[in-house]
Amino acid sequence: MTAVLSVWLHAEPLLTNVANRQTLSLAGTWSYIIDPYETGYFNYRREPYDQQKEPSTSAYFMNHHPRDKAELVEYDFEKSPTMAIPGDWNSQKENLSFYEGTVWFRRSFDYAKRAPDRRVFVHFGAVNTRAEVYLNGVKLGVHEGGFTPFNFEVTSLLRPANNFLVVKVDNTRRADAVPTTSTDWWNYGGITREVTLIEEPSTYIRDYLVQLKKGSLNTIAGFIQLDGTRGEEDVVVEIPALAIKHTARASSGKATFEFTHEKIEHWSPERPRLYEVFVTTQHQRLRDEIGFRSISVDGPNIVLNGKSIFLRGISIHDENAQRGARAFSEADALVSLTWAKELGCNYVRLAHYPHNENIIRMADKMGLLVWEEIPVYWTVDFLSAAALASAKAQLAEAMTRDRNRASIIIWSVANETPPSEARHEFLRQLIRQVRSFDSTRLVSAALERRDAPGDPTTQLLDDRIGDELDVVAFNQYIGWYGGKPEDAPKVKWVIRFNKPVIVSEFGADALQGLHGSRDERWTEEYQEHLYEQTILMLGNIPNLRGVSPWILADFRSPRRVLPGIQDGWNRKGLISNRGIKKKAFFTLKRYYEEKARLSQ
Ligand code: GCB
């Protein structure tokens, strides 16, 4: 047998602001092969084809066709079915609805570069969960983590015609992965976000940061990271509307800068001012739209542009409820954020993993503050080095993609994780990473409350990871998972931290159109009553500075099996999967109208 190559290829440094680069979209129809036994990846001795010097033509990534009628080839992408990419496989194909395993995708394309010295990259918005990527039969690398972008350089492999890009996607849930085996959302598999070819000059702008400096309302500071040079060269940051044209000197490929302007109009939910920003080198001019705002905490206050604010929020999954599919497009983002605006929100919690970039950019445009989260959810294996590495990588990718977006004010590192020494250390490492990557935003996590010993009417929030956070948030479901809605306003809250507090979740399931008394589970009246009672309770929570009830719309979850009611859906949405608002939508809307009036 051929020797096994021990090289383990991973994704390369991320290119940011993909939408404004010179790109060719590979969206469209891709052929696919369902491969539950991974026949296209392993030979019959279970040796991976891609770790052998000369991969066999049996390997699916070779996209092989018989050379004559005698040759044995047991797969054929040409004759295989097709599906739309981007798009999850579960919602597109009946037979893949519950599928968890491997599917191979292939897309053929021609490509003419603008000039011979140009460099080309293939960029994936996200693949859930594990992607092995091959171009023209050569492995580019591996990426794990279903909600963050990655790219590979393909300059030397690309040819003018008949390229074939093959991606092995595996969405098997694993105990040492992030998220782990158990979640309350659908494990949508596939190439769920855009795939793009990006063409760049030989020295190109890979990444940059252009944001207000921490603590300042008039100093813009950041960096520009070039790729392809180690020498010195000038880079220019331009903001035409402010007549700013600042030249910085890059050495070893990186330039840092800082400049002051007295008349910056600050980004806020009321006036989401975005400035056109250009980053220019002698080879390239890259455009972006960037808002400038400051965010900080002061004791129990969250302070935006120098003013204390209350976050009128709603939690959202990255799903289009009406299609029952993973969201990815601008149109999907517009649906969710228009509803959030209608509800009176100035803030959204994008749970429980990084959402697609369109919704973040749309939040920037529409004026919605954002909580962004990584899927460190429930029972992650906190002793696993692999889990920690994955969480860190996902955090780095999400932050690299989004740290120029004014809308994002909070990075959240976890949701409902059980306190322990191992978990504490795991989260501390993530918190440290956030602070070293981005000192300008706030760090939080959705924690849990607990009963005071012997007295469930007193609720304690004292998880000691709260000491490390800027904002303490917690989820609670009094009146749904325990007790009655009327218990909520009677609770006494004891919160150990002199920090802003967010109730990051509360809610109840209701099947839209099902009516009854307010004590009857699953009815709109029960959900409405629970909202009324919880809103009364919110008045008793010390230092409360925001809420993001669970959740904007019903969402698919394999845990939710009750026939006739759930049918595979978590029904805690304020809006049904047909897009119809339930009664509680209007209860929350009234609360937010009142909050907005009081804050003026
Ligand atoms: C939670 C979780 C969320 C669930 C929700 C529920 O606490 O954070 O992911 O979907 O409760 O409906 O039970």
Side-chain angles (χ1 to χ4, degrees), residues 15-23 200 205-208 210 224 236-241 273-281 283-292 330 357 361 364-365 401 404-405:
L15 282 82
T16 55
N17 189 13
V18 174
N20 288 309
R21 294 176 186 267
Q22 195 202 319
T23 56
E200 294 291 323
I205 302 161
R206 189 175 75 216
D207 184 21
Y208 52 86
V210 184
I224 293 145
V236 180
V237 181
E238 260 178 277
I239 310 178
R273 173 71 158 107
L274 295 177
Y275 285 95
E276 196 169 38
V277 174
F278 294 94
V279 181
T280 310
T281 65
H283 323 276
Q284 184 175 22
R285 185 169 164 84
L286 194 53
R287 179 183 174 277
D288 206 343
E289 282 185 300
I290 298 183
F292 301 105
E330 272 189 18
E357 192 171 351
R361 289 204 177 244
D364 254 22
K365 290 202 178 94
R401 189 191 69 178
N404 284 308
R405 304 282 75 83

Side-chain angles (χ1 to χ4, degrees), residues 366-575:
M366 290 174 69
L368 284 156
L369 298 158
V370 172
W371 156 305
E372 181 158 323
E373 182 167 332
I374 53 166
V376 177
Y377 180 95
W378 290 356
T379 57
V380 163
D381 181 354
F382 295 108
L383 290 168
S384 156
L388 181 60
S390 173
K392 283 183 161 179
Q394 293 182 57
L395 187 57
E397 288 159 351
M399 294 181 77
T400 302
R401 189 191 69 178
D402 291 336
R403 65 183 154 187
N404 284 308
R405 304 282 75 83
S407 53
I408 297 181
I409 52 166
I410 297 173
W411 302 113
S412 169
V413 295
N415 180 76
E416 293 183 354
T417 50
S420 72
E421 207 36 64
R423 171 278 212 165
H424 196 69
E425 188 43 38
F426 192 102
L427 296 193
R428 267 168 50 129
Q429 295 215 35
L430 298 178
I431 294 164
R432 229 178 286 145
Q433 181 177 327
V434 174
R435 297 200 192 284
S436 74
F437 246 75
D438 177 7
S439 63
T440 71
R441 292 176 175 82
L442 310 177
V443 191
S444 193
L447 309 177
E448 290 174 307
R449 42 95 199 193
R450 64 186 182 98
D451 294 352
D455 173 17
T457 62
T458 298
Q459 291 293 311
L460 308 178
L461 182 64
D462 59 359
D463 184 331
R464 71 191 173 95
I465 200 67
D467 292 329
E468 320 274 335
L469 304 172
D470 298 313
V471 174
V472 288
F474 70 97
N475 302 345
Q476 70 78 41
Y477 284 88
I478 296 171
W480 186 255
Y481 289 125
K484 294 202 161 58
E486 305 83 85
D487 297 337
K490 296 179 199 143
V491 168
K492 179 166 180 273
W493 289 91
V494 179
I495 295 180
R496 209 191 82 185
F497 313 96
N498 179 33
K499 297 186 178 194
V501 173
I502 293 178
V503 175
S504 33
E505 287 178 28
F506 69 83
D509 288 62
L511 180 66
Q512 184 275 321
L514 184 69
H515 295 287
S517 81
R518 61 183 214 186
D519 304 321
E520 223 176 300
R521 288 260 176 188
W522 316 110
T523 63
E524 288 196 38
E525 285 70 20
Y526 191 108
Q527 189 189 41
E528 178 187 42
H529 180 55
L530 182 135
Y531 268 70
E532 286 163 1
Q533 295 297 305
T534 307
I535 286 168
L536 289 175
M537 179 195 86
L538 294 176
N540 302 332
I541 298 182
N543 298 346
L544 185 76
R545 292 298 182 272
V547 274
S548 51
W550 195 253
I551 183 172
L552 183 64
D554 290 353
F555 62 95
R556 292 178 66 188
S557 169
R559 303 171 68 84
R560 309 296 176 173
V561 298
L562 187 65
I565 301 283
Q566 294 176 315
D567 299 315
W569 292 80
N570 183 314
R571 297 287 182 200
K572 293 192 186 69
L574 294 174
I575 300 174

Side-chain angles (χ1 to χ4, degrees), residues 269 312-314 339-348 367-368 552 588 592:
R312 308 186 304 272
I314 189 72
W339 279 336
K341 278 274 178 184
E342 222 181 310
L343 193 55
C345 294
N346 60 4
Y347 162 72
V348 288
L368 284 156
L552 183 64
L588 186 63
Y592 283 164

Side-chain angles (χ1 to χ4, degrees), residues 2-65:
T2 42
V4 169
L5 300 176
S6 56
V7 212
W8 198 233
L9 302 157
H10 282 275
E12 298 156 14
L14 261 187
L15 282 82
T16 55
N17 189 13
V18 174
N20 288 309
R21 294 176 186 267
Q22 195 202 319
T23 56
L24 175 75
S25 168
L26 294 180
T29 305
W30 292 48
S31 305
Y32 69 92
I33 299 172
I34 307 169
D35 188 15
Y37 289 12
E38 300 183 291
T39 310
Y41 188 75
F42 294 108
N43 66 17
Y44 82 123
R45 296 288 183 226
R46 204 75 188 164
E47 293 157 335
Y49 288 127
D50 68 8
Q51 289 176 41
Q52 290 155 16
K53 268 210 180 110
E54 274 174 41
S56 150
T57 50
S58 303
Y60 292 0
F61 57 84
M62 296 306 285
N63 187 35
H64 189 68
H65 301 284

Side-chain angles (χ1 to χ4, degrees), residues 80-94:
S80 296
T82 62
M83 73 167 85
I85 300 298
D88 66 80
W89 65 53
N90 316 70
S91 66
Q92 294 193 64
K93 303 286 167 185
E94 188 77 44

